[in-house]
Amino acid sequence: MFNKFYLLTALLLSLLFSACNKSMQQLQEDRPAKNIILLIGDGMGLAQVSTAYYFGEGTPNFSRFKHIGLHQNEPVGKKITDSASGATAFSTGYKSYNAAIGVDGDTIARETILEWAALNGKSTGVIATSSITHATPASFYAHVQNRNWHEDIAADYAKAPADFAAGGGYKYFSQRRDDQDLLKVLEEKHVLVDTNELGANLEFGQKYAFFLEPDAMPTMKDGRGDFLPNATATALDFLSNDEDGFFLMVEGSQIDWGGHANDGEYVINEVLDFDKVIGLALDFAQKDGNTLVVVTADHETGGLSLSAAKVFGQPEYGAIEPTFSTGGHSASLIPVFAYGPGSEAFLGIYQNNDIYGKMMKAFAEKSAAFSSTSR
Ligand code: MG
Ligand code: ZN
């Protein structure tokens, strides 16, 4: 009799405890995010991610995520997306046609998450290893019908500069058909422009644009070095001064270009560089506690396979040889890795444009609180 009572009490207590525990955990994950770091490895499908496990040193930073999902990335009017509609889906929540930059399927400009963040008192940043006017970064600040209109994209940037930018592409600002010097326009807007080197000890309250090449940044192979990790570390140091938080997008742009070139070594070097950036973002988020980190790609490029090397025409399972099935993009589902407040929402399989809503949901409540108190 006594035994039975004791057992029942213990059971009830343990149930109560686990319920409490669960709600504590739930509370932590439902907590709004003050900052979001979105890391896009352009053209980085699961095979590209896998290269970090076979060709890198130590455990890749991808392994630090617990919340992992997949997105389907079909655009409007086609089966396979390009980087413009892919990034526009992330930045605006709208699926659009290939080549669309920050506009929906009817070419209507849609507010991006970066613009929303700026309007809500947060600091913003864009970093890429391409020109800053290239499709992926452009989709976060520009509204242009065609990704090839780099000069129009640069004009949109000059209209509403981010607080921090780093990448290539100064020629679209300063060597234009309309003879405008948009770098001067940026300077008039109190943006400190540097076309030579990434600055250090940045002053909060100032805006910065580090446009270090006329067009794209060099490849890793051609000596880009630690530009991407350094720019990310500098941006995090700078943007984290904002009490209202920040939105930062960092793109490993050239994983895609390695795929287009069907060049395994190019892909691997770019993925390993991108993995360093993931490490920095996660270190920051772990310390900060209020930062959501999302790592994904717009699409896969090259139809990359980590095939068995061929020895006398036979597959040799002791060695991996990257092989490709296309010079273009492929339609495969793309992994999404999330860490921090709001990260649980990234479990499962969903559409690419759902990523926008999941990020906005992670941001929203806190910002509503901001607008009623500090703004
Ligand atoms: Mg891109
Ligand atoms: Zn591509």
Side-chain angles (χ1 to χ4, degrees):
M1 187 64 182
F2 172 79
N3 247 352
K4 218 178 195 175
F5 174 76
Y6 180 76
L7 211 70
L8 198 70
T9 312
L11 189 73
L12 274 173
L13 273 173
S14 80
L15 269 175
L16 198 73
F17 181 74
S18 80
C20 267
N21 219 10
K22 185 146 191 257
S23 64
M24 276 295 284
Q25 200 186 347
Q26 203 69 49
L27 209 70
Q28 255 173 22
E29 274 152 7
D30 290 348
R31 192 164 39 104
K34 182 176 154 190
N35 315 311
I36 296 181
I37 306 171
L38 174 61
L39 306 178
I40 302 177
D42 197 314
M44 187 183 71
L46 196 52
Q48 283 80 356
V49 170
S50 305
T51 64
Y53 287 79
Y54 297 108
F55 299 96
E57 281 166 29
T59 308
N61 288 297
F62 291 105
S63 287
R64 295 166 66 183
F65 293 94
K66 301 277 185 292
H67 296 153
I68 298 162
L70 295 168
H71 74 72
Q72 193 191 0
N73 36 81
E74 210 173 319
V76 170
K78 292 273 196 290
K79 288 286 178 219
I80 299 176
T81 189
D82 78 341
S83 298
S85 59
T88 294
F90 300 154
S91 68
T92 69
Y94 285 86
K95 289 224 181 218
S96 194
Y97 59 93
N98 285 346
I101 302 288
V103 298
D104 68 14
D106 298 320
T107 72
I108 294 167
R110 296 293 179 180
E111 185 182 75
T112 72
I113 187 169
L114 184 143
E115 291 166 331
W116 181 91
L119 282 171
N120 283 270
K122 294 178 187 290
S123 289
T124 58
V126 274
I127 303 174
T129 54
S130 59
S131 163
I132 209 73
T133 58
H134 209 266
T136 311
S139 297
F140 286 83
Y141 62 78
H143 305 281
V144 167
Q145 287 178 31
N146 192 306
R147 60 180 290 168
N148 297 320
W149 303 350
H150 284 267
E151 293 186 2
D152 295 291
I153 293 168
D156 273 7
Y157 188 84
K159 256 184 250 163
D163 297 287
F164 182 97
Y170 64 73
K171 74 173 186 186
Y172 302 111
F173 291 81
S174 59
Q175 297 156 32
R176 299 166 56 85
R177 276 169 293 184
D178 63 8
D179 287 330
Q180 277 195 77
D181 187 347
L182 296 183
L183 296 182
K184 281 223 179 82
V185 171
L186 282 173
E187 276 163 353
E188 280 157 18
K189 290 190 169 175
H190 308 291
V191 180
L192 221 143
V193 180
D194 197 323
T195 55
N196 291 310
E197 57 177 3
L198 195 67
N201 305 316
L202 308 191
E203 215 176 293
F204 189 64
Q206 174 77 265
K207 293 188 181 205
Y208 293 89
F210 301 104
F211 299 150
L212 305 183
E213 292 286 336
D215 203 332
M217 297 298 293
T219 65
M220 282 309 284
K221 210 173 167 180
D222 289 342
R224 191 171 76 237
D226 279 334
F227 161 77
L228 197 60
N230 287 345
T232 305
T234 304
L236 288 175
D237 201 43
F238 171 67
L239 298 171
S240 60
N241 286 306
D242 194 326
E243 283 177 5
D244 296 327
F246 64 82
F247 175 82
L248 172 65
M249 193 290 299
V250 184
E251 186 198 23
S253 318
Q254 299 196 28
I255 299 168
D256 175 65
W257 302 353
H260 283 297
N262 285 6
D263 182 338
E265 204 189 325
Y266 192 172
V267 171
I268 292 163
N269 287 335
E270 297 295 331
V271 169
L272 294 178
D273 179 53
F274 189 63
D275 186 60
K276 281 192 198 166
V277 173
I278 297 172
L280 285 172
L282 285 175
D283 290 347
F284 175 87
Q286 264 171 353
K287 241 186 258 166
D288 179 72
N290 291 307
T291 302
L292 169 66
V293 179
V294 179
V295 180
T296 190
D298 40 7
H299 53 73
E300 195 277 340
T301 305
L304 175 63
S305 289
L306 301 187
S307 309
K310 281 223 170 98
V311 178
F312 300 118
Q314 294 299 314
E316 165 48 54
Y317 287 177
I320 294 164
E321 186 182 289
T323 58
F324 296 86
S325 67
T326 174
H329 301 167
S330 75
S332 62
L333 302 190
I334 293 297
V336 185
F337 305 84
Y339 175 90
S343 60
E344 207 176 42
F346 292 86
L347 295 168
I349 301 178
Y350 37 86
Q351 293 298 314
N352 56 354
N353 58 328
D354 291 332
I355 289 174
Y356 166 86
K358 293 174 193 299
M359 291 192 295
M360 287 299 283
K361 199 170 169 236
F363 255 164
E365 289 159 57
K366 191 115 184 180
S367 291
F370 281 153
S371 57
S372 62
T373 56
S374 65
R375 288 170 61 81

